Amino acid sequence: MKYTGLTKNEVEKRLAEFGPNEIVKRKKLSSIVDFLVRFKNPLIIILLIAAGISAFGGDAISASIIVIIVVASILLDFINTHKSEKAAALLKAKVMVTANVTRDGSSYEIPLSGIVPGDIVNLSPGDIVPADGKILEGKSFFLNESSLTGESFPSDKQAGDQVFMGSSVTTGEATIEVVSTGKNTKFSHIAESLIHKEAPTEFDRSIKDFSYLIMKATFALVIFIFLINTINKHDVLSSFLFAAALAVGLTPELLPLIITLNLTKGSLELAKRGIIVKRLSAIQNIGSMDILCTDKTGTLTEDKIVLVKHIDGLGQESEEVFLYSYISSVFHASIKNPLDAAVKEFKTIDISRYNKKDEIPFDYNRKRD
């Protein structure tokens, strides 16, 4: 059946009504708030208290030096983080996913964010379902819904069945009508329930524990020395000023700046290798890992299969095996399969004496073509 899809005016109205087709995102702090939040670090608080004590004791120079060091450390962390976020955003824009939609009787490739309810979307193997919808027609259509259900095996979908954002097309082709987009999709509801406050890294926890240790030790020593001096000299003000000076001396003023400079140097080294670090404190976590377990996908590799050799059931090189594989790959029309591409790129052979009469597409019930 030929579908004409929505008109341009209808698309604009629905885009204004329902908004862009984007899943819920974590609320981003404004630049000013983000900068000020960094002062919550226990070590920074200790240094600011030390600066206040120095100023109260008449040592304005020491107080100014401490404040300058603290602000420089926070500013350096702030600038580096925002540069990383900007680079990540640019990288994300370069790999923007599109969908094939039918509008005004013609097919267009548009960004997923531009899809609206009522759009007619054409899906083929390898495509991502861009929004929740209903299948209008399909042929040997199987979806991988593991992101929603956890089920690794593809699901057989027929005309009239529902499909959900985040699923990927395994085999077959289908035409769907979009029902829900953006925050109204099932996938967005799941994402919203998983959004939580950013958990501190092991490095953050270690710095926090170290800061509390310094705070306790300094407080205990200052109280002890203040009491001893007060008892011996009977001069409360002099004892207080001496204890305050001791507190300032025990505080590691340069530690935040040293930490930030080292982490920044690490992020620059990683950037040379094409790795973007959005949180400086994550670098220490990366360095402390012994084993990294990942899912080996096209995100980490070239997303390309390469044929090395063709063998029979006994493990011997077999030209007959390659011939049948090549015939299947060349005449295979219904599924975009990287295995077929690998076979055809390995070498070319003459199969002009073979003619294709019909094709039964691969499905996950028969496990064969």
Side-chain angles (χ1 to χ4, degrees), residues 23-29 85 191-192 194-199 278-279:
I23 64 173
V24 65
K25 296 180 179 179
R26 181 183 287 110
K27 292 182 180 180
K28 190 175 181 180
L29 299 175
E85 289 178 351
E192 186 174 12
L194 294 176
I195 286 181
H196 57 277
K197 188 178 180 181
E198 202 170 61
K278 296 178 70 174
R279 291 180 65 192

Side-chain angles (χ1 to χ4, degrees), residues 41-48 50 65-66 69-70 73 207 210-215 217-218 246-259:
N41 187 304
L43 189 56
I44 297 298
I45 294 173
I46 293 173
L47 291 175
L48 292 177
I65 291 174
I66 294 174
I69 291 172
V70 167
S73 173
I207 291 296
F210 177 69
S211 301
Y212 285 143
L213 176 63
I214 291 177
M215 187 182 296
T218 302
L246 179 65
V248 174
L250 290 173
T251 306
E253 292 90 350
L254 287 174
L255 183 58
L257 187 59
I258 292 171
I259 291 173

Side-chain angles (χ1 to χ4, degrees), residues 143-151 155 157 162-164 167-168:
L143 280 181
N144 183 340
E145 298 179 313
S146 57
S147 60
L148 296 169
T149 64
E151 175 57 55
S155 302
K157 298 292 183 179
Q162 287 185 312
V163 294
F164 303 101
S167 306
S168 59

Side-chain angles (χ1 to χ4, degrees), residues 88-133:
L90 291 173
L91 183 63
K92 185 178 179 181
K94 289 181 180 180
V95 293
M96 184 179 294
V97 181
T98 61
N100 183 279
V101 300
T102 299
R103 292 176 177 173
D104 288 320
S106 301
S107 294
Y108 301 94
E109 287 289 334
I110 66 169
L112 299 191
S113 59
I115 292 174
V116 297
D119 259 330
I120 303 299
V121 180
N122 308 302
L123 299 173
S124 56
D127 289 343
I128 301 294
V129 178
D132 293 356

Side-chain angles (χ1 to χ4, degrees), residues 2 26 179:
K2 179 69 174 177
R26 181 183 287 110
V179 176

Side-chain angles (χ1 to χ4, degrees), residues 115-303:
I115 292 174
V116 297
D119 259 330
I120 303 299
V121 180
N122 308 302
L123 299 173
S124 56
D127 289 343
I128 301 294
V129 178
D132 293 356
K134 181 179 68 175
I135 298 177
L136 300 177
E137 59 181 41
K139 179 182 178 183
S140 302
F141 191 58
F142 283 78
L143 280 181
N144 183 340
E145 298 179 313
S146 57
S147 60
L148 296 169
T149 64
E151 175 57 55
S152 59
F153 287 99
S155 302
D156 185 9
K157 298 292 183 179
Q158 305 295 331
D161 289 346
Q162 287 185 312
V163 294
F164 303 101
M165 174 190 277
S167 306
S168 59
V169 182
T170 306
T171 61
E173 298 176 345
T175 301
I176 70 168
E177 179 182 1
V178 175
V179 176
S180 301
T181 59
K183 63 182 181 180
N184 297 318
T185 61
K186 299 289 185 183
F187 190 82
S188 185
H189 293 163
I190 294 174
E192 186 174 12
S193 67
L194 294 176
I195 286 181
H196 57 277
K197 188 178 180 181
E198 202 170 61
T201 65
E202 185 62 33
F203 181 74
D204 293 328
R205 288 191 288 268
S206 298
I207 291 296
K208 186 177 181 180
D209 293 341
F210 177 69
S211 301
Y212 285 143
L213 176 63
I214 291 177
M215 187 182 296
K216 291 175 183 177
T218 302
F219 183 76
L221 286 172
V222 167
I223 293 297
F224 176 75
I225 293 173
F226 175 71
L227 291 175
I228 295 298
N229 277 334
T230 302
I231 293 171
N232 290 336
K233 296 183 178 180
H234 305 287
D235 187 346
V236 177
L237 181 59
S238 297
S239 299
F240 174 76
L241 292 176
F242 179 76
L246 179 65
V248 174
L250 290 173
T251 306
E253 292 90 350
L254 287 174
L255 183 58
L257 187 59
I258 292 171
I259 291 173
T260 303
L261 287 173
N262 277 279
L263 294 179
T264 301
K265 186 177 185 299
S267 70
L268 293 175
E269 289 296 324
L270 290 172
K272 293 177 182 178
R273 293 166 172 77
I275 301 171
I276 297 174
V277 180
K278 296 178 70 174
R279 291 180 65 192
L280 284 181
S281 58
I283 294 176
Q284 193 273 345
N285 279 14
I286 296 173
S288 64
M289 283 190 297
D290 295 318
I291 299 174
L292 171 65
C293 299
T294 69
D295 180 15
K296 183 178 178 293
T297 65
T299 308
L300 302 176
T301 66
E302 294 182 0
D303 195 18

